[in-house]
Amino acid sequence: MSGHDPVFDLRFKSVFLHPKYWGTWLALGALWLLAWVPVRARDAFAGALAPMVVRLAKKQCYIARTNIGLCFPQLTPTEVEAMLLNSVRTGLMGFFGYGAWTARSKAYLQGRFKIQGQEHLDACLAQDEKVIFLMPHTWTIDAGGVYLSSLGLPICTMMHSAKNELFDWFINMQRARFGGIIYEREAGIKAVIKSIREGNNFGYLPDQDHGREASLFVPFFAEMKATLPALPKLVRLTGAKVLPVLCIYNTEAHRYELLIHPPMAPYPSGDITRDTRAMNAEIEALLQDWPEQYMWFLKYFQTQVDSDEGRYEAGIRRIRGR
């Protein structure tokens, strides 16, 4: 990626052939092979592995338990464990199907999806409105973005680099397979505004913790969360409509589903705190019936209102100490 081009560099690099990446190549090859395994058999295998992952992934499951407890304080410990297990089970099914979005045909992938709320998207497109898809971090969020771009929608998004450069290249090749545009996070909001004004829709990931200085503290479920107040500014500067969208993997029907809610309106209101809270309320509404679909292991509440120490650090130290 050049200093003048904020789009992720999708070119293959010779360094990817270095022995340090051979393990990654094996993993990618396994995902490719799993793409051809019958879906129900693959899902059954993923479901059987879920209890073992809960036992072994101590740090990640500690973060997930903390998040679930903060968001749903009414749940008993048994209910928290049940949601955690269901979330891990859903995540494994989504992960084992991840290679299909590179290996399989467009027609096959589109046939794996069911859409609820298509009329909301159609209404925006009929009026030639640009759309900001408000997409919280579910396990199959990438599948949702690739599916939307496969429909011919010009769409861009912003990503955070993975530690493994080869895997980073692979997932962004997949995201861009049907014409999606992937911006590095360092490109900043100006690149996104320019892209929307040029005719692209935008897949916005609203729920990450960007730290105290960049955020406002507003409620998210039952907890105050450091929330980036960028969405109202994006809407104001581009005139785009905001469609809340949830991409899920229905573990009973063994398919992907895209749940599209009506556009946020009126939005923005002019009150930045109210608008930021309204965004979080939309995420809550999307997740109401599908909480197990959320990536609970992410550090959504790392920045605390009354402390400079990360929310999860003391617990992680205890786990490492053991």
Side-chain angles (χ1 to χ4, degrees), residues 211-212 214-218 225-229 272-273 276:
R212 188 183 304 277
S215 305
L216 296 175
F217 283 98
V218 294
K225 181 185 182 303
T227 307
L228 192 68
I272 190 69
T273 301
T276 305

Side-chain angles (χ1 to χ4, degrees), residues 60 79 84 93 147 169 172 177 266 286 289 291 294 313:
Q60 291 78 9
E79 290 169 332
L84 172 60
M93 290 182 184
Y147 173 78
W169 171 81
N172 285 297
R177 179 182 177 186
L286 287 168
D289 295 326
Y294 206 38
E313 304 314 308

Side-chain angles (χ1 to χ4, degrees), residues 83 86-91 93-94 136-141 246-252 255-257 259 286-287 289-297 300:
M83 186 185 294
N86 285 336
S87 182
V88 171
R89 179 170 170 264
T90 303
M93 290 182 184
H137 274 85
T138 55
W139 289 108
T140 51
I141 186 174
L246 194 75
C247 185
I248 69 166
Y249 187 75
N250 189 319
T251 60
E252 301 300 322
R255 70 184 178 213
Y256 301 92
E257 296 186 11
L259 315 178
L286 287 168
L287 292 171
D289 295 326
W290 303 95
E292 78 285 351
Q293 300 286 330
Y294 206 38
M295 288 186 183
W296 291 110
F297 72 92
Y300 298 117

Side-chain angles (χ1 to χ4, degrees), residues 54-75:
V54 172
R55 288 196 301 271
L56 296 179
K58 297 184 183 300
K59 172 187 169 183
Q60 291 78 9
C61 287
Y62 161 74
I63 294 171
R65 287 187 185 97
T66 301
N67 287 337
I68 294 170
L70 290 172
C71 291
F72 306 102
Q74 76 278 12
L75 295 183

Side-chain angles (χ1 to χ4, degrees), residues 49-319:
L49 287 180
M52 181 182 69
V53 172
V54 172
R55 288 196 301 271
L56 296 179
K58 297 184 183 300
K59 172 187 169 183
Q60 291 78 9
C61 287
Y62 161 74
I63 294 171
R65 287 187 185 97
T66 301
N67 287 337
I68 294 170
L70 290 172
C71 291
F72 306 102
Q74 76 278 12
L75 295 183
T76 67
T78 300
E79 290 169 332
V80 169
E81 288 302 308
M83 186 185 294
L84 172 60
L85 179 61
N86 285 336
S87 182
V88 171
R89 179 170 170 264
T90 303
L92 286 174
M93 290 182 184
F95 178 70
F96 285 175
Y98 196 76
W101 293 93
T102 297
R104 303 302 295 263
S105 70
K106 179 192 292 188
Y108 171 84
L109 297 171
Q110 290 179 344
R112 297 274 288 123
F113 255 92
K114 177 183 177 181
I115 304 183
Q116 299 180 32
Q118 175 79 47
E119 66 274 12
H120 305 308
L121 175 58
D122 289 344
C124 289
L125 298 179
Q127 298 175 29
D128 200 28
E129 300 274 10
K130 294 300 175 287
V131 176
I132 296 175
F133 296 102
L134 183 71
M135 305 179 72
H137 274 85
T138 55
W139 289 108
T140 51
I141 186 174
D142 274 349
V146 176
Y147 173 78
L148 287 169
S149 66
S150 80
L151 299 177
L153 287 174
I155 188 169
C156 65
T157 192
M158 188 167 285
M159 48 75 66
H160 181 71
S161 297
K163 293 180 181 179
N164 185 312
E165 191 176 358
L166 171 58
F167 188 68
D168 205 31
W169 171 81
F170 173 79
I171 61 177
N172 285 297
M173 282 286 291
Q174 186 180 83
R175 291 164 176 167
R177 179 182 177 186
F178 300 115
I181 301 172
I182 315 300
Y183 288 105
E184 298 269 13
R185 188 172 297 281
E186 290 74 15
I189 195 172
K190 290 183 178 179
V192 172
I193 293 170
K194 181 174 182 290
S195 186
I196 296 173
R197 287 174 172 172
E198 289 174 348
N200 291 298
N201 305 292
F202 179 48
Y204 181 59
L205 284 60
D207 43 14
Q208 291 177 303
D209 186 333
H210 291 269
R212 188 183 304 277
E213 292 185 3
S215 305
L216 296 175
F217 283 98
V218 294
F220 182 59
F221 288 101
E223 184 68 13
M224 297 296 287
K225 181 185 182 303
T227 307
L228 192 68
L231 183 61
K233 181 177 181 180
L234 276 174
V235 174
R236 189 174 65 253
L237 293 175
T238 63
K241 296 291 187 182
V242 181
L243 284 184
V245 174
L246 194 75
C247 185
I248 69 166
Y249 187 75
N250 189 319
T251 60
E252 301 300 322
H254 305 279
R255 70 184 178 213
Y256 301 92
E257 296 186 11
L258 204 65
L259 315 178
I260 306 175
H261 281 198
M264 295 178 65
Y267 195 86
S269 70
D271 183 323
I272 190 69
T273 301
R274 180 187 303 166
D275 292 335
T276 305
R277 167 55 192 155
M279 181 185 73
N280 282 358
E282 288 289 345
I283 302 172
E284 295 169 17
L286 287 168
L287 292 171
Q288 181 177 359
D289 295 326
W290 303 95
E292 78 285 351
Q293 300 286 330
Y294 206 38
M295 288 186 183
W296 291 110
F297 72 92
L298 296 178
K299 295 181 178 180
Y300 298 117
F301 301 102
Q302 174 74 347
T303 304
Q304 300 187 73
V305 176
D306 54 359
S307 174
D308 290 331
E309 182 177 36
R311 165 83 66 177
Y312 312 92
E313 304 314 308
I316 292 173
R317 287 195 297 269
R318 288 194 298 270
I319 292 170

